[in-house]
């Protein structure tokens, strides 16, 4: 082999050896999002589609320009600190906590450096997540869902649907982060509603929920509000089944309850929240700082009425409500 050919061969060999290294370097340079989910991947398919849509609006596609590390709590708020700490150890570029106040607080407690994009149903200033809505000032920003503030609206809708009810009861998770804020909203709605609202507590177990419904059914004439809570959402099939078994007119905070047989749901569009958080996460990856991104609000709300359930409960849904509904399930 001539000296020239030998040098060309060695150069080619050296270039080939660097290809895997270059590929690995490109792969490691891909930013990683840490995703704190309040339920599970199986029940959050549409939400994740919305989150990825928001990311794509900022030019990020999972697997091509960004990676996502998922951590799911299964409705267990007490697991959030360990999941958040795990993402911090993973040194993700940003933590997204789209549907969990507990997740947002856990992420905030776990890091003061990694950017956080949260979704919460409570006041983020009062929670200590941000200094102010317009100028968050720290490493966190996000979306306020207003779901807690919609408590009075839900009770009003429930009274329209169940005008003959003699008792109004709010089912509340005693151990949830937002419990105090929810109870405050329930009490604040009483003057408008014109009747008192009883508080019925449940905890983080199926048995506790079953006991709450058994207690509720001991007195006739009740109508039920299921308040905002990630554990209640993960147990929605059980709750809807118990409401049907005890013939309770019930209003819920997410459309998924009505889709599986709940009477009515009204609340912020969770898909919209995930899309907005995806957009904000993309903006952070582009270099914008959470301190400068104002906390914003969702733009879409869902009301879903299940007419089959209404008929089973002998409820005549007012035409005005049917006209307002985003979806009517026959």
């Amino acid at each position: 082999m001539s000296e020239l050919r030998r040098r060309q061969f060695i150069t080619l060999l050296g270039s080939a050896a660097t290809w895997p290294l270059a590929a690995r370097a490109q792969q490691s340079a891909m930013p990683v999002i840490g995703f704190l989910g309040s339920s599970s991947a199986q029940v959050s398919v549409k939400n994740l589609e919305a989150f990825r849509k928001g990311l794509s609006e900022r030019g990020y596609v999972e697997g091509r320009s960004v990676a996502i590390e998922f951590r799911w709590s299964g409705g267990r708020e007490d697991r959030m600190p360990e999941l958040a700490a795990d993402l911090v150890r993973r040194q993700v570029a940003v933590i997204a906590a789209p549907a969990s106040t507990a997740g947002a607080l856990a992420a905030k407690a776990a890091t003061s450096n990694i950017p956080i994009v949260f979704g919460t149903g409570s006041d983020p200033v009062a929670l200590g997540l941000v200094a102010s809505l317009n100028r968050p000032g720290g490493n966190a920003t996000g979306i306020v869902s207003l779901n807690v503030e919609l408590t009075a609206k839900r009770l009003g809708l429930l009274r329209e649907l169940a005008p003959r009810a003699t008792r109004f009861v709010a089912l509340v998770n005693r151990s949830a982060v937002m419990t105090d804020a929810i109870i405050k909203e329930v009490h604040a709605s009483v003057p408008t509603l014109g009747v008192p609202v009883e508080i019925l507590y449940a905890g983080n177990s199926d048995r506790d929920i079953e006991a709450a419904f058994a207690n509720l059914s001991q007195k006739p004439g009740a109508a039920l509000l299921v308040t905002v809570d990630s554990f209640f959402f993960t147990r929605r099939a059980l709750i809807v089944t118990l409401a049907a078994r005890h013939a309770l007119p019930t209003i819920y905070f997410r459309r998924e309850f009505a889709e599986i047989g709940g009477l009515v749901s009204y609340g912020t569009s969770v898909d919209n929240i995930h899309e907005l958080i995806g957009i904000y996460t993309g903006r952070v990856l582009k270099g914008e700082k959470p301190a400068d991104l104002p906390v914003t609000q969702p733009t879409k709300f869902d009301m879903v009425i299940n007419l089959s359930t209404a008929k089973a409960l002998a409820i005549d849904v007012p035409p005005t409500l049917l006209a307002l509904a985003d979806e009517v399930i026959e």
Side-chain angles (χ1 to χ4, degrees), residues 102-175:
L105 290 171
K108 184 71 173 176
T111 179
S112 58
N113 298 317
I114 297 175
I116 299 165
V117 183
F118 60 76
T120 179
S122 195
D123 180 358
V125 177
L127 290 170
L129 289 170
V130 297
S132 72
L133 298 181
N134 290 329
R135 302 282 295 180
N139 66 320
T141 188
I143 314 298
V144 179
S145 72
L146 303 178
N147 256 336
V148 173
E149 287 80 358
L150 293 174
T151 297
K153 176 68 173 179
R154 292 189 191 96
L155 284 167
L157 289 171
L158 184 60
R159 189 166 194 194
E160 285 190 65
L161 285 166
R164 293 188 296 275
T166 56
R167 303 169 59 213
F168 287 84
V169 181
L171 183 66
V172 177
N173 187 340
R174 67 167 66 87
S175 59

Side-chain angles (χ1 to χ4, degrees), residues 85-100:
D86 188 37
L87 291 175
V88 172
R89 284 192 297 271
R90 174 69 175 78
Q91 296 184 329
V92 296
V94 57
I95 296 175
S100 172

Side-chain angles (χ1 to χ4, degrees), residues 48-237:
L48 292 177
E49 287 177 0
F51 178 73
R52 292 183 177 108
K53 179 184 177 185
L55 280 175
S56 69
E57 291 182 29
R58 293 294 162 176
Y60 291 98
V61 178
E62 185 183 7
R64 282 161 49 185
S65 53
V66 70
I68 306 177
E69 287 273 349
F70 292 98
R71 299 292 184 273
W72 300 97
S73 73
R76 291 269 308 277
E77 289 189 349
D78 60 313
R79 292 197 62 215
M80 283 300 184
E82 66 175 279
L83 298 177
D86 188 37
L87 291 175
V88 172
R89 284 192 297 271
R90 174 69 175 78
Q91 296 184 329
V92 296
V94 57
I95 296 175
S100 172
T101 299
L105 290 171
K108 184 71 173 176
T111 179
S112 58
N113 298 317
I114 297 175
I116 299 165
V117 183
F118 60 76
T120 179
S122 195
D123 180 358
V125 177
L127 290 170
L129 289 170
V130 297
S132 72
L133 298 181
N134 290 329
R135 302 282 295 180
N139 66 320
T141 188
I143 314 298
V144 179
S145 72
L146 303 178
N147 256 336
V148 173
E149 287 80 358
L150 293 174
T151 297
K153 176 68 173 179
R154 292 189 191 96
L155 284 167
L157 289 171
L158 184 60
R159 189 166 194 194
E160 285 190 65
L161 285 166
R164 293 188 296 275
T166 56
R167 303 169 59 213
F168 287 84
V169 181
L171 183 66
V172 177
N173 187 340
R174 67 167 66 87
S175 59
V177 170
M178 296 188 296
T179 298
D180 291 343
I182 289 170
I183 292 174
K184 182 179 178 181
E185 288 293 327
V186 169
H187 290 324
S189 69
V190 169
T192 303
L193 193 65
V195 294
V197 181
E198 304 168 34
I199 303 295
L200 181 64
Y201 289 103
N204 290 327
S205 73
D206 291 359
R207 184 176 297 179
D208 216 13
I209 292 174
E210 290 167 353
F213 272 88
N215 178 288
L216 181 60
S217 65
Q218 290 178 3
K219 297 179 183 178
L224 180 65
L225 162 72
V226 175
T227 63
V228 179
D229 181 70
S230 58
F231 181 75
F232 289 165
F233 177 70
T234 63
R235 296 299 186 271
R236 61 192 177 280

